[in-house]
Amino acid sequence: MTSPAGGDEHDALVRRLLDAQPVDAGLLQRICLATVEALSASGSGISVMTADGMRGVCATSDPVSERVEELQFILGEGPCIDAFAARRPILTADLSDGADFRWPVYTPAARDAGVRAVFAFPLQVGAARLGVMDVFRDRVGPLTGTELQLAFTLAELTVEALLNLQQGDISAGDGAMALDFGRRAELFQAQGMVMVQLGVSIGEALVRIRAYAFAENRRLEDVARDIVQRRLRLDG
C-alpha cells in the first residue's frame, strides 16, 4: 500500500479504516489490521501495561504477531518493554544488527518467527502510560518519514480507543456527550479546572482527565467529581 503524502490525508486514511463501527474490543484489532496495511507491515500488536508491572496483550493482527508480542512478557525483554520504560519509540530496523545484545533471548525467538524489524510506540498522554503499539516487518529497513508520521497517528487513535473502552458508557461518536446532563455538567466543570491548572486547551483537559481515570482504573464521573470538589489536582 502506498502511504498518503500529507498529514491530513493520513488522518483521513486512518479514519476511513477505523470509523466503520462503534468503539468496542474489536476496534483494537481493526487498528492492528489498519497498521499492517498502512505501514506495509507483516504484523502489529497492542499491549496494555502499567507502571506496577501489570501487562497483557490486548489485540494483534494475526496469530504469529500474538506469539511475538507475548514473547516479550514471557521473557521480560523486548522493544515493547523498552519503549514503555523509556516513554519514547524504539525503532529497530534490523533485528540482526546489534539487537542480540539488547534483547539476547527475544531477538532470536522473534527472528525464528519471521520478524526482521520491530517498531514500538508508547501509548501515553500526559504522565499516564497506557501501553505500547508494536509494528512488525518481515524485512529489514526503517520506516520512512511519511510512515513514521502515520504510525504516530495510529498510536494516538489507539490511546483514544483505550480510553473509550475504559469508560464503557461513552459512545464512539459522542464521547463525553453520551453522559447524562448532570454528569456532563460536572465533567465540563472539571475540564475547566484542569485547563487552568495545566494551561492546556479544553479538549486536552478532557484527555488528561480520561487518561488519569484509565491509569487509576476509576470511572470518569468519579474522577471529575473529585476534581470539582478539590480532592484531586492533575498538576501534581
Side-chain angles (χ1 to χ4, degrees), residues 15-31 157 160-162 164-165 167-175 178:
R15 296 290 179 182
R16 284 198 304 273
L17 289 167
L18 302 178
D19 280 353
Q21 301 178 39
V23 171
D24 54 27
L27 175 61
L28 296 177
Q29 185 178 35
R30 293 203 305 280
I31 292 175
L157 285 171
E160 182 180 337
L162 287 170
N164 279 334
L165 285 170
Q167 303 299 330
D169 55 351
I170 300 179
S171 70
D174 294 332

Side-chain angles (χ1 to χ4, degrees), residues 74-91:
I74 293 170
L75 301 174
E77 63 178 38
C80 174
I81 293 172
D82 283 7
F84 183 80
R87 298 175 181 263
R88 62 177 177 80
I90 300 295
L91 309 177

Side-chain angles (χ1 to χ4, degrees), residues 18 32 39-40 50 65 72 81 83 100 105 115 137 142 145 150 154 159 165 173 183 188 191 207-208 224 229 231:
L18 302 178
C32 291
L39 301 181
S40 299
T50 63
S65 295
Q72 301 182 80
I81 293 172
D100 281 326
V105 184
V115 176
R137 275 183 167 172
L150 182 51
L154 285 158
V159 169
L165 285 170
R183 287 185 293 168
F188 291 158
Q191 281 180 255
V207 171
R208 296 294 185 94
Q229 295 182 5
R231 293 193 295 259

Side-chain angles (χ1 to χ4, degrees), residues 4 6 60 67 80 86 94 111 121 138 170 204 207 210 213 224 235:
T60 58
R67 289 196 296 272
C80 174
D94 186 352
R111 285 206 303 258
F121 298 88
D138 56 8
I170 300 179
E204 175 68 8
V207 171
R210 294 172 69 195
D235 59 351

Side-chain angles (χ1 to χ4, degrees), residues 23 48 130 159-170 210-220:
V23 171
V48 170
L130 312 183
V159 169
E160 182 180 337
L162 287 170
L163 294 175
N164 279 334
L165 285 170
Q166 173 69 8
Q167 303 299 330
D169 55 351
I170 300 179
R210 294 172 69 195
Y212 181 91
F214 181 96
E216 299 296 322
N217 195 28
R218 299 183 60 195
R219 293 185 62 80
L220 184 64

